[in-house]
């Protein structure tokens, strides 16, 4: 039986061209290629940018096999391989010249008075109002009250997601080798009633973050998971914690996080 590799691509012209070239080269190297997830797939290749990579992981339901990205987008923190490096990548893969990075996944248990629903994130979970006005949230960590929050909302991110929405909101970039969660406030307001942190808060990876809306002010909360919006009514609380699920990200053996940061931001 031939070894199977799954390719998932966005519909941008450059990505479609790259997909065809990659398929041809993989077949010549002795692989079978699928565009849909196959149960015997040994590797998933996502073609596109960071958004396409995240969509691949969610579409394939957080698969256990390694994932690697070919970058036809912009920043490309997840997809580090460029289309002109396909031959180099295939040779390195055949020679096992790569490393596997375990990427943490956040689990958010969104509960109403009647039931709970779990959603999962690689980059971040955002809790905000679904209208353009200030919302009020109660923040607890490990059942200890931290603050009454007033502002636009909160971002809870992984180290992997620290360079995404978290960074745009003023949060810190975190080395992906460190296990932690980062909570970054969105436009916090300080008043006599609400004393809010104005910078990010770092929590250990085994913390349980609980965010509860104050319904005397707001009755509809928007949950944004890796850029995808979820709307819920009558939320009682959102518990965010590290999931048992992890994503295996295939990196080339010469990958260095801080070199990548310097390349993308400086």
């Amino acid at each position: 039986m031939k070894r199977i590799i799954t390719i998932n691509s966005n519909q941008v012209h450059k990505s479609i061209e790259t997909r065809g070239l990659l398929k041809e080269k993989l077949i010549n190297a002795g692989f079978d290629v699928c565009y849909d997830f196959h149960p015997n797939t040994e590797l998933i290749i996502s073609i596109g940018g960071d958004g396409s990579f995240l969509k691949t992981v969610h579409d394939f339901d957080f698969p256990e096999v390694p994932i690697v990205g070919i970058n036809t987008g912009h920043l490309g923190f997840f997809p580090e391989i460029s289309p002109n490096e396909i031959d180099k990548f295939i040779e390195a893969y055949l020679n096992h010249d790569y490393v596997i990075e375990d990427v943490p996944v956040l689990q958010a248990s969104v509960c109403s008075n009647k039931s709970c629903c779990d959603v999962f994130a690689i980059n971040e979970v955002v809790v905000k109002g679904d209208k353009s006005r200030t919302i009020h949230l109660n923040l607890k960590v490990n059942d200890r009250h931290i603050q009454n929050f007033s502002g636009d909302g909160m971002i809870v991110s992984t180290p992997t997601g620290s360079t995404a929405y978290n960074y745009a909101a003023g949060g810190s970039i975190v080395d992906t080798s460190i296990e932690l969660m980062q909570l970054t406030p969105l436009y916090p307001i300080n008043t006599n009633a609400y004393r809010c942190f104005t910078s990010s808060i770092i929590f250990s990876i085994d913390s349980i973050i609980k965010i509860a809306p104050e319904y005397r002010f707001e009755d509809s909360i928007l949950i944004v998971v890796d850029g995808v919006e979820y709307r819920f009514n009558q939320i009682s609380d959102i518990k965010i914690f590290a999931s048992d699920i992890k994503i295996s990200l295939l990196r080339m053996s010469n990958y260095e996080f801080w070199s990548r940061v310097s390349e993308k931001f400086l």
Side-chain angles (χ1 to χ4, degrees):
M1 180 183 295
K2 285 189 177 181
R3 299 165 67 183
I4 300 172
I5 291 178
T6 295
I7 302 175
N8 193 45
S9 166
N10 64 23
Q11 296 304 304
V12 175
H13 178 68
K14 184 178 180 180
S15 299
I16 298 300
E17 281 190 339
T18 301
R19 183 181 69 180
L21 177 63
L22 176 63
K23 179 180 180 180
E24 179 183 346
K25 289 180 178 294
L26 285 172
I27 289 173
N28 289 338
F31 294 98
D32 275 346
V33 174
C34 298
Y35 290 154
D36 296 315
F37 186 78
H38 189 283
N40 294 325
T41 290
E42 67 175 63
L43 178 70
I44 298 169
I45 303 176
S46 171
I47 302 176
D50 287 320
S52 297
F53 186 94
L54 293 172
K55 188 175 187 300
T56 295
V57 174
H58 284 273
D59 285 350
F60 291 167
D61 196 23
F62 294 81
E64 295 182 359
V65 299
I67 306 174
V68 67
I70 295 179
N71 186 27
T72 57
H74 299 290
L75 277 180
F77 268 96
F78 286 112
E80 63 173 291
I81 301 166
S82 65
N84 60 13
E85 294 176 319
I86 288 177
D87 289 330
K88 180 180 177 182
F89 158 69
I90 293 175
E91 181 181 359
Y93 184 71
L94 288 171
N95 292 328
H96 301 281
D97 185 18
Y98 56 83
V99 294
I100 299 295
E101 176 184 328
D102 286 334
V103 177
V105 174
L106 292 179
Q107 182 171 344
S109 182
V110 184
C111 296
S112 67
N113 295 329
K114 296 181 179 179
S115 63
C116 293
C117 175
D118 289 333
V119 291
F120 298 86
I122 301 169
N123 271 355
E124 74 280 307
V125 176
V126 184
V127 180
K128 60 195 298 187
D130 70 347
K131 301 177 178 66
S132 297
R133 66 188 187 197
T134 299
I135 61 170
H136 304 272
L137 305 169
N138 179 276
L139 173 65
K140 291 184 178 181
V141 177
N142 299 333
D143 289 326
R144 182 181 294 275
H145 180 263
I146 301 297
Q147 69 175 1
N148 293 323
F149 174 85
S150 178
D152 280 7
M154 298 179 179
I155 303 171
V156 180
S157 65
T158 64
T160 309
S162 69
T163 53
Y165 189 9
N166 169 77
Y167 177 72
S172 298
I173 294 176
V174 177
D175 191 318
T176 54
S177 66
I178 302 173
E179 293 189 337
L180 55 80
M181 292 185 288
Q182 180 174 185
L183 187 148
T184 300
L186 293 172
Y187 297 101
I189 298 172
N190 277 297
T191 65
N192 289 334
Y194 293 90
R195 305 300 296 171
C196 307
F197 290 104
T198 57
S199 63
S200 296
I201 311 172
I202 302 298
F203 297 109
S204 65
I205 194 64
D206 57 353
S207 299
I208 298 176
I209 298 171
K210 182 177 179 180
I211 300 171
E214 295 184 5
Y215 279 119
R216 59 196 177 100
F217 296 107
E218 180 59 68
D219 194 34
S220 189
I221 296 295
L222 182 65
I223 311 294
V224 187
V225 178
D226 289 342
V228 178
E229 296 183 352
Y230 295 84
R231 283 179 166 78
F232 301 90
N233 292 317
Q234 293 294 323
I235 293 175
S236 58
D237 62 72
I238 306 106
K239 292 180 182 177
I240 302 171
F241 51 93
S243 171
D244 292 334
I245 298 171
K246 287 186 182 294
I247 295 300
S248 297
L249 178 58
L250 188 147
R251 295 285 198 189
M252 303 306 292
S253 58
N254 61 351
Y255 175 85
E256 293 183 1
F257 174 75
W258 289 110
S259 295
R260 194 75 169 167
V261 170
S262 177
E263 173 190 334
K264 298 301 179 181
F265 288 113
L266 301 180

